[in-house]
């Protein structure tokens, strides 16, 4: 190292570069993977040391010095830094923002890896203390005091109190003023892997599961394995036994799960079987809890880490296996800011660290299936349901030829009646929340639209509101038309309306609506899932949220209402998506001994999509779709990048993309196809006009070379100042 080492530091700003600094004056010298505090503009910022260099474009005299070293030891190893750098390069995203995405909030803020936590305790009560009087005068304070007395000298931290008594702070002030409560600082609790005493025994794997496990056991080195098993085929059982192998070797396992709801059931199963508590990393946790879990993963204290998307960046010192459960789920792709795919990064990370990665799904994406065809990934099939369960039967209901009342056709109503009288549970799937998607005037035909988006407002009857599902705008629901003052009426069905219909038709049934509106407050989702799992709920009405991964033992009938939503979609992936969501929701039916039945309401029963699905299932649909994509040259046969831009003025949104387009025209490359710029399919959203430029190439390196140049050009162009713009590599949605 030279005498004057210069540190290359990633700072959380939207610029595609690292910044040069001199080390802090005090020892020791920071090393790669440690955080430092640096002067940046007029403020100080937290930065991450990425490495050293011997020279800088900035004259030595002008180089600023780091103010402070924040960590005793590197947070990220070389391997982890590789993933950060790879992410920045592959997604053409500023390195400092990638580092920020990889750090838990408190570390991003510059807090210590082992932060002090404030704990609250009850003071010693005077003999004369009259608890009854306090209960009478200030019941909240009495409640808090009781909780603190129960916790004794260990005390309770803010997270715990928030959980127990959400509004405890006010009461806390009162108690403190009376001298009845005090606080002290201590180190954050260490993560406890807490052995659960009674563990459930391994199931005896069936023949297919056994074969799958043997393939997975072949190697502890890199390999990408697609565990392609029909719903209920026992994929989770196979993961569990493979996880046990890796844990026995003393290594760590990272399991990535989709965003919503799945975690509680999976976590219960993991801890029951493996006898240890996984460290959890997801957005529902408090910052402190998240940091505790992150630290445990980083240090190797936690052997099993279960997390959503961003957990892919978690440093793990002894990582031996990554599992991506429900590989096809779109929530693995971040749709804003750093637009990464956690699934794809999992594969890249596994390859770099030379460990296996298992991708599980009943409806694998065409990208992964194509890799299997090319033999770059291993395709493992579980063709039958595990245990005694048989596959559900699918049947179409022609909604043009059969009577439909308020969204429910006669045959479906009849099937619900039958299922209920046989003590079965019913799930009605409709991927549209609210009461109705449209509010129309009966006289002039005016449709209530969002003022800030090119979209209709959804009627929400429970809250008596009209809401925009794109920008969140919301206003009171009125009975009269804005234009002519005549009576308006809701058109079409959402989950709220279906709930009303079903309550009316089945007054004795316990009906549970499960969508993002009904599960907003804390604990609501868990409670809903609990009542679904226990069989207490007779009819479940749900959106996509309910279609994923759940295991409801009593469920025998699934009804899909308004199944045609994706049939005529504009995105080349609409068909794939729709097939995935139908198969996934159908897969909730008949997972135990009673057979499952799936009824699908469609106005187009003759459509090729339905015919293929009924005859050949997901396999046939995906085979056909791959053949089509090969001819039309869409992914996975080509690669895409989408450059998006949004601005208050239509012309501003287009100007930056025009500049990009001109550059591409002047540097024409045969391997690159450029489409646009055009207005986005929803041209105005949240008050901004949106435009996009699509880059397509069959050659990955061409695409990335071009994107790298474009990023720098756009970043430095004055036209960029008026716009929000982004590069989306491997976009999963083309708008
Ligand atoms: P998937 O993850 O493929 O949807 P699961 O692993 O959840 O499937 O298994 C579905 C059901 O079958 C669960 O109730 C599970 O306990 C049961 N099961 C899985 N494997 C076996 C087996 N080998 N023998 C008996 N039951 C099994
Ligand atoms: Zn809107």
């Amino acid at each position: 190292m030279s005498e004057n080492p210069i540190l290359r530091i990633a700072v959380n700003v939207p610029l595609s570069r690292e910044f040069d600094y001199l080390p802090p004056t005090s020892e020791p010298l920071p090393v790669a993977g440690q955080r430092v505090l640096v002067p940046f503009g007029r403020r100080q910022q937290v930065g991450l040391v990425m490495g050293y260099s011997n020279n800088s474009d900035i004259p030595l005299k002008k180089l600023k010095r780091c103010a402070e070293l924040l960590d005793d030891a590197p947070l990220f190893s070389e391997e982890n830094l590789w993933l950060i750098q790879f992410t920045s390069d592959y997604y053409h995203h500023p390195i400092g923002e990638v580092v920020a995405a990889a750090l838990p909030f408190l570390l991003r803020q510059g807090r210590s890896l082992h932060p002090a936590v404030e704990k609250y305790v009850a003071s010693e009560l005077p003999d004369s203390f009259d608890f009854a009087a306090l209960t009478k005068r200030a019941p909240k304070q009495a409640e808090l005091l009781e909780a603190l007395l129960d916790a004794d000298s260990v005390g309770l931290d803010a997270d715990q109190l928030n959980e127990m008594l959400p509004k405890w702070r006010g009461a806390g002030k009162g108690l403190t003023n009376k001298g009845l409560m005090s606080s002290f600082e201590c180190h954050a609790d260490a993560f406890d892997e807490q052995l659960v005493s009674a563990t459930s025994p391994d199931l005896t794997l069936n023949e297919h599961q056994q074969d799958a496990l043997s393939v997975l056991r072949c190697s502890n080195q890199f390999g990408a394995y697609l565990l392609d098993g029909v719903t209920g085929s026992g994929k989770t059982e196979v993961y569990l036994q493979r996880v046990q192998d890796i844990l026995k070797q003393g290594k760590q396992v990272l399991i990535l799960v989709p965003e919503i709801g799945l975690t509680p059931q999976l976590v219960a199963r993991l801890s029951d079987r493996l006898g240890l508590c996984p460290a959890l990393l997801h957005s529902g946790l408090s910052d402190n809890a998240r940091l505790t879990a992150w630290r445990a993963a980083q240090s190797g204290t936690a052997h099993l880490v279960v997390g959503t998307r961003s957990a892919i960046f978690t440093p793990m010192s002894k990582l031996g296996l990554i599992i991506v459960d429900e590989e096809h789920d779109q929530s693995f792709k971040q749709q804003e800011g750093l637009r990464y795919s956690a699934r794809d990064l999992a594969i890249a990370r596994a390859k770099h660290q030379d460990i296996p990665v298992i991708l599980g799904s009943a409806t694998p994406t065409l990208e992964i299936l194509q890799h299997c065809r090319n033999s770059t990934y291993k395709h493992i099939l579980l063709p039958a349901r595990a245990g005694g369960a048989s596959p559900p039967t699918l049947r179409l209901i022609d909604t043009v030829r059969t009577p439909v009342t308020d969204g429910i056709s006669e045959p479906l109503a009849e099937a619900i009646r039958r299922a209920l009288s046989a003590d079965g549970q019913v799930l009605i799937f409709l991927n549209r929340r609210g009461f109705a998607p449209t509010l129309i005037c009966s006289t002039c035909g005016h449709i209530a639209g969002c003022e800030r988006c090119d979209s209709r407002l959804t009627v929400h009857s429970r809250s008596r509101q009209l809401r925009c599902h794109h920008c969140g705008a919301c206003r009171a629901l009125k009975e009269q038309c804005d234009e002519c003052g005549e009576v308006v009426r809701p058109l079409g069905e959402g989950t709220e309306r279906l709930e009303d219909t079903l309550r009316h038709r089945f007054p004795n049934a316990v009906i549970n609506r499960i969508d993002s509106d009904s599960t907003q407050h804390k604990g609501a989702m868990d409670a809903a899932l609990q009542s679904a799992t226990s069989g207490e709920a007779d009819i479940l009405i749900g959106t996509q949220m309910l279609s994923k991964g759940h295991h409801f033992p009593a469920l025998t009938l699934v009804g899909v209402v308004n199944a045609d939503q994706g049939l005529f979609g504009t995105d080349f992936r609409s068909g794939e998506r729709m097939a995935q969501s139908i198969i996934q929701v159908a897969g909730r039916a008949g997972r135990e001994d009673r057979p499952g039945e799936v009824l699908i309401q469609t106005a187009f029963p003759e459509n090729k999509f339905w015919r293929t699905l009924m005859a050949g299932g997901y396999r046939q649909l995906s085979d056909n779709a791959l053949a089509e994509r090969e001819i039309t040259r869409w992914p996975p046969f080509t690669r895409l990048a989408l450059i998006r831009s949004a601005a208050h003025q239509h012309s501003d949104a287009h100007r930056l993309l025009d500049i990009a387009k001109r550059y591409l025209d002047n540097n024409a490359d045969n391997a690159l196809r450029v489409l646009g710029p055009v207005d986005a399919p929803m041209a105005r959203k949240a008050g901004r006009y949106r435009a996009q430029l699509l880059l397509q190439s069959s050659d990955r390196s061409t695409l990335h070379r071009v994107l790298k140049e474009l990023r720098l050009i756009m970043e430095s162009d004055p036209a960029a100042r008026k716009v929000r713009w982004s590069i989306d590599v491997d976009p999963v949605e083309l708008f």
Side-chain angles (χ1 to χ4, degrees):
M1 201 179 298
S2 80
E3 275 171 43
N4 271 317
I6 295 166
L7 300 179
R8 289 191 294 107
I9 294 182
V11 181
N12 188 5
V13 290
L15 294 172
S16 302
R17 44 177 289 225
E18 293 163 351
F19 297 87
D20 295 343
Y21 284 90
L22 295 172
T25 36
S26 57
E27 294 282 312
L29 207 59
V31 297
Q34 280 179 311
R35 289 172 306 152
V36 286
L37 210 53
V38 295
F40 196 91
R42 284 196 227 150
R43 299 188 296 140
Q44 287 203 322
Q45 289 251 33
V46 175
L48 188 76
V49 180
M50 299 301 292
Y52 288 97
S53 78
N54 289 325
N55 45 44
S56 172
D57 295 342
I58 301 171
L60 205 56
K61 269 185 270 172
K62 286 203 169 170
L63 273 182
K64 290 190 187 148
R65 207 170 265 290
C66 297
E68 199 184 323
L69 173 60
L70 292 172
D71 296 308
D72 302 334
L75 296 180
F76 296 101
S77 66
E78 284 299 327
E79 263 170 354
N80 307 142
L81 289 174
W82 175 89
L83 183 66
I84 289 174
Q85 188 66 56
F86 174 83
T87 305
S88 169
D89 294 342
Y90 187 85
Y91 292 104
H92 299 273
H93 200 83
I95 184 83
E97 294 190 353
V98 178
V99 169
L103 284 170
F105 177 78
L106 293 175
L107 295 183
R108 215 182 305 155
Q109 298 298 305
R111 298 278 295 276
S112 154
L113 181 62
H114 299 274
V117 178
E118 186 146 43
K119 287 224 176 182
Y120 300 89
V121 286
S123 315
E124 192 149 337
L125 301 181
D127 290 340
S128 60
F129 185 72
D130 185 351
F131 209 98
L134 182 69
T135 309
K136 206 162 164 203
R137 260 183 324 191
K140 287 258 155 57
Q141 292 184 15
E143 214 179 329
L144 174 58
L145 186 58
E146 204 169 346
L148 293 174
L149 287 168
D150 282 346
D152 210 17
S153 60
V154 179
L156 294 169
D157 64 24
D159 281 349
Q160 291 164 316
L161 286 168
N162 285 337
E163 187 94 353
M164 299 163 83
L165 306 162
K167 297 209 170 101
W168 64 278
R169 284 196 191 267
K173 273 210 185 96
L175 286 182
T176 310
N177 290 341
K178 294 192 178 96
L180 296 173
M181 170 175 146
S182 61
S183 67
F184 65 96
E185 281 206 341
C186 67
H187 266 306
D189 290 332
F191 177 78
D192 186 4
E193 238 178 12
Q194 177 191 130
L195 285 154
V196 181
S197 49
T199 57
S200 60
D202 281 358
L203 295 180
T204 311
L205 297 185
N206 65 33
E207 195 186 328
H208 297 297
Q209 288 172 312
Q210 203 47 262
D211 289 348
L213 189 62
S214 325
V215 175
L216 293 172
R217 278 184 170 154
C218 278
S219 158
N220 292 323
Q221 264 108 48
F222 173 69
Y225 301 86
L226 170 63
L227 188 55
D228 177 354
V230 298
T231 52
S233 58
K235 294 184 287 294
T236 314
E237 276 317 309
V238 177
Y239 300 152
L240 277 167
Q241 303 206 14
R242 184 63 181 139
V243 168
Q244 271 171 332
D245 294 348
I246 305 289
L247 294 178
K248 276 198 197 115
Q249 298 167 19
K251 296 186 205 155
Q252 293 173 292
V253 177
L254 172 63
I255 304 183
L256 296 180
V257 295
E259 225 156 45
I260 342 172
L262 271 179
T263 341
Q265 272 188 340
L266 181 67
V267 168
R269 227 164 132 184
L270 286 167
S271 36
D272 277 357
R273 181 64 54 76
L274 305 171
L276 50 83
C277 272
L280 300 183
L281 288 164
H282 58 85
S283 57
L285 299 172
S286 74
D287 292 330
N288 272 317
R290 207 173 162 130
L291 179 55
T292 303
W294 194 88
R295 194 173 50 230
Q298 191 249 15
S299 65
T301 323
H303 289 87
L304 187 58
V305 179
V306 180
T308 47
R309 185 169 70 214
S310 67
I312 188 56
F313 295 111
T314 315
M316 293 172 71
S317 47
K318 301 177 290 189
L319 187 59
L321 170 69
I322 307 178
I323 295 173
V324 183
D325 191 25
E326 310 291 353
E327 163 278 314
H328 63 276
D329 199 288
Q330 271 196 78
S331 68
F332 287 120
K333 172 89 195 227
Q334 175 140 308
Q335 304 279 19
E336 55 186 35
L338 169 59
R339 293 164 191 261
Y340 65 98
S341 155
R343 177 201 63 198
D344 293 347
L345 288 181
I347 298 166
R349 182 172 180 178
K351 190 167 186 182
H352 183 75
Q353 298 194 217
D354 199 20
I355 56 169
V357 54
I358 305 175
L359 312 168
S361 178
T363 52
T365 52
L366 300 189
E367 278 76 8
I368 301 298
L369 284 172
Q370 183 58 21
H371 275 294
C372 291
R373 287 188 171 187
N374 293 338
S375 303
T376 35
Y377 300 172
K378 286 199 188 63
H379 198 167
I380 306 175
L381 289 165
L382 294 178
R385 281 192 156 179
S390 48
T393 52
L394 268 63
R395 191 152 62 87
L396 296 178
I397 298 174
D398 183 342
T399 52
V400 179
R401 296 212 172 81
T402 49
V404 179
T405 331
D406 290 331
I408 303 284
S409 66
E410 269 325 303
L412 179 56
E414 187 45 45
I416 296 175
R417 213 166 289 132
R418 253 185 288 123
L420 293 181
S421 61
D423 249 351
Q425 195 178 46
V426 176
L427 189 165
I428 303 296
F429 175 70
L430 171 60
N431 206 15
R432 195 192 263 158
R433 64 201 169 84
F435 185 81
T438 304
L439 186 70
I440 189 167
C441 172
S442 327
T443 308
C444 76
H446 173 75
I447 287 172
C450 178
E451 282 167 14
R452 310 174 68 222
C453 305
D454 292 336
S455 74
R456 295 175 176 190
L457 292 171
T458 301
V459 182
H460 284 253
S461 65
R462 306 298 186 268
S463 55
R464 308 241 1 112
Q465 282 172 333
L466 280 174
R467 284 196 222 152
C468 174
H469 286 186
H470 302 280
C471 72
C474 155
R475 58 176 147 106
L477 181 60
K478 286 188 290 185
E479 313 274 318
Q480 282 85 30
C481 175
D482 285 339
E483 296 286 307
C484 71
E486 293 299 320
V487 180
V488 287
R489 73 189 158 89
L491 197 66
E493 287 89 30
T495 47
E496 288 182 355
R497 190 171 214 170
L498 271 187
E499 184 186 0
D500 290 355
T501 308
L502 291 167
R503 279 192 198 288
H504 180 70
R505 287 213 182 181
F506 303 98
N508 297 322
V510 177
I511 299 183
N512 248 350
R513 175 169 58 89
I514 306 184
D515 56 29
S516 55
D517 297 318
S518 75
T519 52
Q520 256 174 11
H521 32 255
K522 218 173 167 205
M525 184 69 184
D526 287 354
L529 289 181
Q530 180 54 35
S531 100
T533 310
S534 70
E536 180 194 323
D538 298 316
I539 302 182
L540 313 167
I541 303 165
T543 52
Q544 197 86 359
M545 190 180 241
L546 208 56
S547 71
K548 302 176 176 180
H550 300 293
H551 185 84
F552 305 133
L555 191 71
T556 53
L557 173 67
V558 168
V560 183
V561 175
N562 201 345
D564 300 324
Q565 280 173 356
L567 227 41
F568 307 104
T570 47
D571 194 309
F572 70 91
R573 282 196 185 89
S574 324
E576 179 187 354
R577 287 279 151 66
M578 180 162 154
Q580 286 164 346
S581 92
I582 299 277
I583 299 285
Q584 289 292 340
V585 72
R588 300 313 109 209
R591 288 168 70 90
E592 300 221 334
D593 35 350
R594 284 190 287 175
E597 185 184 7
V598 182
L599 297 183
I600 301 170
Q601 295 190 167
T602 169
F604 307 94
E606 296 305 318
N607 189 291
K608 189 172 149 221
F609 175 90
W610 293 121
R611 278 188 288 141
T612 314
L613 183 73
M614 303 310 285
Y618 188 77
R619 171 114 339 181
Q620 190 63 51
L621 272 171
S622 53
D623 281 352
N624 291 3
L626 271 175
E628 249 168 55
R629 300 252 189 109
E630 185 157 19
I631 294 167
T632 52
R633 307 303 297 158
W634 282 111
F637 298 92
T638 52
R639 296 187 162 264
L640 300 180
L642 192 62
I643 305 180
R644 296 187 177 84
S645 142
H648 289 292
Q649 299 296 325
H650 183 265
S651 56
D652 288 338
H654 277 262
R655 187 167 305 124
L656 185 66
L657 298 185
D658 287 336
I659 290 167
K661 164 84 163 163
R662 214 169 309 129
Y663 173 82
L664 294 172
D665 287 346
N666 292 339
N667 297 274
D669 189 313
N670 286 338
L672 187 75
R673 203 169 141 216
V674 183
L675 298 114
V678 291
D679 282 347
M682 184 189 288
R684 205 168 60 100
K685 184 175 164 183
R688 284 191 164 81
Y689 290 93
R690 311 185 315 148
Q692 60 190 38
L693 184 68
L694 185 66
L695 275 52
Q696 184 180 39
S697 179
S698 42
D699 176 42
R700 172 145 85 182
S701 58
T702 303
L703 189 62
H704 282 268
R705 180 179 49 73
V706 167
L707 286 172
K708 193 167 178 194
E709 292 161 11
L710 272 184
R711 163 115 224 153
L712 293 174
I713 289 169
M714 292 170 68
E715 215 169 83
S716 58
D717 198 284
R721 286 188 209 133
K722 289 185 178 167
V723 256
R724 284 190 188 166
W725 64 281
S726 64
I727 294 177
D728 189 351
V729 178
D730 306 328
V732 294
E733 270 174 334
L734 293 189
F735 55 81

